[in-house]
């Protein structure tokens, strides 16, 4: 019966992959419900490191069925490359199922992503260039190609023709690129059909039956609350619903089935790509966070922008998602500071604002109001209980808990599965 959601509470890369992997051995299904291979979830198991983009992190747990839900956009080339890469490392991927309603990223969507970013110039979003936005745009425009369309060549051809009609005009007349051939696209997509056939499923029905049979389903978000197309820092967002609401629409699981919502939040903050980030640091502290936390993108390798913890954002994420438990990750990265600033509110044009400002302009103008907490210098990466942490680190966690909108149930003190402190069980 339990359906548990894992969502990012900041701008992504909070450690959702590790959290999913920790629970993987205790759940029956792990569902990716949004996004595509713009995600990068790193999971460290002993001396092995896995970077997952399109596959749910549950793929690494032998007993669990990994599901790519209807809300995902699938780059089939990347999918099979990722599967082959894992198979070569001895990971069994044979249980993977993919929704017949998931949309497919076609080559022209990747092209549109790149040319659109170039066209935007200084107004660019800083996308991952994986074709995510244009594929979701096609979906909403009712010009998308779904996984099931690949199994009916006539329909596929019609749909690709329909999708390219306007796009080829735009590509040739506005972006000065060559037109895309329908045949080329159809041929590439059809080349995946044989491998795809056994994986395709009616995933909403499958998950419904699983819940009815008292199985545990974990819904793993890509991206995060502040990158959500509705609730994020629009337009500097991704194009999918990365919040709990998206977990329902992107999987076909009803809201009344959700039993728990786990928000993943870093002990500081990072962001990749463009857009407002009130606590961003441009000084040595920012460099130190990037270095200590190895803050370089899993997908694009870009250095992540780093800043201090932002409590109004955590509260916002708690509200939007209905967070019941936070997993506070990367506490170990904060080791070594004498005092640690935490943003507790904003100054917006001279006025104190305690919550996320209502308008984008307000958020762009928001300057952090900091409170300072005592730091610690001891290595905490070996801590396994809350009491193992130095007093100052314990206080830091308890103070964050008071101002973040939900209890902090788990604390990460290193990338490995084992480097975890459990205060309250997550399942
Ligand atoms: P995701 O996109 O939310 O899954 O997060 P990413 O995998 O992109 O980025 C999180 C990074 O932090 C990964 O390299 C993880 O291995 C690492 N990580 C996760 N939890 C911790 C932690 O508690 N401490 C440290 N030092 N690293 C962590
Ligand atoms: P995970 O799942 C961090 C950012 C991009 C860009 C914006 C739009 O690893 O947390 P897109 O290619 O999605 O159209 O880019 O969203 N972005 C992410 N940032 N983590 C991610 O995923 C991201 N996925 C997209 O950098 O600013
Ligand atoms: Mg990531």
């Amino acid at each position: 019966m339990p359906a548990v959601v894992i969502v990012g509470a900041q701008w992504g890369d909070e450690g959702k992959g590790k959290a999913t992997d920790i629970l993987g051995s205790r759940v029956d299904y792990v569902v990716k419900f949004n996004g595509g291979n713009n995600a990068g979830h790193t999971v460290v198991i002993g001396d092995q490191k896995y970077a997952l983009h399109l596959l749910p992190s549950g793929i690494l747990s032998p007993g669990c069925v990994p599901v790519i839900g209807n809300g995902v956009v699938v780059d089939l080339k990347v999918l099979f490359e990722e599967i082959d890469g894992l198979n070569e490392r001895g990971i069994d991927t044979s249980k993977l199922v993919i929704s017949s309603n998931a949309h497919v990223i076609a080559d022209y969507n990747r092209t549109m992503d790149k040319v659109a970013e170039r066209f935007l110039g200084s107004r660019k979003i800083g996308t991952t260039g994986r074709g995510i936005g244009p594929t979701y745009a096609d979906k909403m425009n009712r010009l998308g190609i779904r996984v099931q369309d690949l199994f009916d060549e006539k329909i596929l051809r019609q749909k690709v023709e329909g999708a390219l009609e306007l796009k080829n005009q735009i590509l040739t007349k506005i972006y000065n690129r060559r037109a895309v051939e329908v045949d080329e696209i159809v041929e590439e997509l059809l080349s995946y059909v044989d491998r795809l056939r056994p994986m395709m499923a009616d995933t909403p029905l499958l998950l419904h039956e699983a819940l009815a049979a008292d199985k545990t389903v974990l819904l793993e978000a890509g991206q995060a609350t502040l990158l959500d197309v509705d609730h994020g820092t629009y337009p500097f967002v991704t194009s999918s619903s990365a919040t709990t609401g998206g977990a329902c629409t992107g999987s076909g699981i009803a809201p009344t089935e959700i039993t728990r919502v786990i928000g993943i939040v870093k002990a500081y903050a990072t962001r990749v790509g463009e857009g407002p980030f009130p606590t961003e640091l441009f000084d040595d502290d920012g460099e130190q966070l990037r270095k200590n936390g190895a803050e370089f993108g899993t997908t694009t390798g870009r250095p992540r922008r780093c800043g201090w913890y932002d409590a109004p954002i955590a509260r916002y994420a708690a509200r939007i998602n209905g967070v019941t438990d936070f997993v506070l990750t990367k506490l170990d990265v904060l080791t070594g500071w004498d005092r640690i600033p935490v943003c507790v509110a904003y100054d917006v044009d001279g006025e104190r604002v305690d919550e996320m400002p209502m308008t984008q302009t307000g958020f762009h103008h928001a300057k952090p109001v900091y409170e300072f907490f005592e730091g610690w210098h001891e290595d905490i990466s070996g801590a396994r209980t809350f009491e193992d942490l130095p007093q100052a680190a314990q206080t830091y966690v308890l103070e964050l808990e008071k101002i973040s909108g939900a209890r902090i149930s788990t604390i990460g003190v290193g990338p490995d599965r084992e480097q975890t402190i459990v205060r309250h069980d997550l399942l």
Side-chain angles (χ1 to χ4, degrees):
M1 177 58 203
V4 178
V5 180
I6 283 191
V7 286
Q10 295 156 320
W11 282 281
D13 305 322
E14 298 91 347
K16 297 176 290 294
K18 178 185 163 183
T20 303
D21 176 64
I22 288 173
L23 298 176
S25 62
R26 296 168 61 196
V27 305
D28 302 295
Y29 293 79
V30 173
V31 188
K32 178 178 169 97
F33 61 81
N34 75 304
N37 58 315
N38 49 346
H41 298 184
T42 304
V43 178
V44 180
I45 307 169
D47 60 357
Q48 293 293 311
K49 188 169 163 178
Y50 301 91
L52 301 165
H53 297 286
L54 189 49
L55 297 171
S57 305
I59 198 104
L60 301 174
S61 303
C64 126
V65 178
V67 179
I68 292 184
N70 55 277
V72 175
V73 290
V74 183
D75 185 322
L76 291 163
K77 182 164 181 280
V78 171
L79 174 75
F80 291 116
E81 279 170 4
E82 207 164 309
I83 289 174
D84 292 343
L86 288 177
N87 291 161
E88 275 163 29
R89 295 174 71 180
I91 305 288
D92 174 21
T93 56
S94 61
K95 293 201 187 83
L96 177 71
V97 289
I98 301 181
S99 169
S100 55
N101 284 346
H103 281 244
V104 166
I105 301 177
D107 192 45
Y108 50 78
N109 295 128
R110 272 189 302 271
T111 307
M112 291 303 271
D113 194 355
K114 287 179 188 143
V115 291
E117 280 283 275
R118 227 169 290 146
F119 195 73
L120 281 172
S122 64
R123 289 183 298 119
K124 72 175 193 287
I125 309 295
T127 73
T128 58
R130 303 297 193 261
I132 306 295
T135 307
Y136 279 113
D138 277 1
K139 173 175 173 173
M140 293 307 176
N141 272 330
R142 290 149 298 183
L143 288 171
I145 312 290
R146 292 185 296 175
V147 164
Q148 59 182 285
D149 298 330
L150 272 58
F151 297 85
D152 185 331
E153 190 175 338
K154 195 166 143 235
I155 290 285
L156 177 65
R157 188 168 295 276
Q158 270 174 21
K159 291 201 172 183
V160 172
E161 273 167 11
L164 282 175
E165 209 174 294
L166 180 60
K167 260 182 217 84
N168 271 338
Q169 300 285 331
I170 296 172
L171 279 171
T172 52
K173 294 187 180 147
I174 296 177
Y175 294 127
N176 221 4
R177 306 274 296 213
R178 77 172 177 87
V180 177
E181 298 288 339
V182 172
D183 282 348
E184 236 173 77
I185 301 295
V186 170
E187 202 177 303
E188 197 212 330
L189 293 177
L190 287 177
S191 73
Y192 302 115
V193 161
D194 288 341
R195 284 192 80 180
L196 204 51
R197 195 182 312 274
M199 297 175 190
M200 186 171 72
D202 180 344
T203 52
L205 178 63
L206 180 85
L207 294 170
H208 177 80
E209 287 174 351
L211 288 170
D214 222 19
K215 303 285 185 201
T216 305
V217 176
L218 183 64
L219 297 136
E220 179 196 18
Q223 293 76 52
T225 308
L226 276 295
L227 290 174
D228 181 278
V229 69
D230 281 275
H231 302 292
T233 50
Y234 190 90
F236 301 102
V237 292
T238 190
S239 302
S240 71
S241 299
T243 43
T244 306
C248 294
T249 52
S251 69
I253 290 179
T256 44
E257 303 273 15
I258 308 286
T259 46
R260 219 140 195 219
V261 179
I262 302 169
I264 316 298
V265 70
K266 259 183 224 190
Y268 50 99
T270 64
R271 171 161 210 171
V272 201
E274 307 301 317
F277 179 5
T279 65
E280 182 170 14
L281 293 164
F282 300 95
D283 57 8
D284 291 347
D285 284 334
E287 265 311 314
Q288 199 60 37
L289 284 173
R290 192 172 303 112
K291 189 163 158 273
N292 292 6
E295 295 295 357
F296 295 89
T298 314
T299 299
T300 57
R302 289 179 287 180
R304 294 176 183 148
R305 299 157 64 191
C306 296
W308 299 120
Y309 190 84
D310 187 325
I313 277 181
R315 287 198 294 276
Y316 178 73
R319 277 200 303 279
I320 294 288
N321 295 292
V323 170
T324 56
D325 302 79
F326 274 121
V327 172
L328 183 72
T329 63
K330 303 190 106 166
L331 187 64
D332 54 301
V333 173
L334 290 180
T335 299
W337 271 273
D338 290 334
R339 57 175 207 164
I340 304 171
V342 168
C343 169
V344 294
Y346 306 117
D347 176 319
V348 181
D349 302 326
E351 207 178 299
R352 182 181 164 116
V353 175
D354 287 301
E355 301 302 332
M356 181 87 177
M358 181 176 71
T359 63
Q360 194 199 344
T361 305
F363 197 58
H364 274 270
H365 290 191
K367 299 208 169 35
V369 175
Y370 284 120
E371 268 184 29
F372 296 87
F373 295 98
E374 193 191 331
W376 60 92
H377 293 269
E378 299 90 329
D379 178 1
I380 62 168
S381 61
R384 294 294 175 268
T385 68
F386 191 62
E387 291 67 36
D388 288 344
L389 292 172
Q391 195 56 52
Q394 290 188 24
T395 305
Y396 182 76
V397 172
L398 294 175
E399 290 298 326
L400 292 197
E401 186 169 55
K402 275 189 211 155
I403 55 178
S404 299
R407 66 181 185 175
I408 293 174
S409 294
T410 299
I411 301 158
V413 291
D416 196 87
R417 259 183 191 174
E418 305 300 321
Q419 290 176 300
T420 304
I421 295 171
V422 179
R423 294 178 71 211
H424 309 284
D425 196 8
L426 290 174
L427 286 179

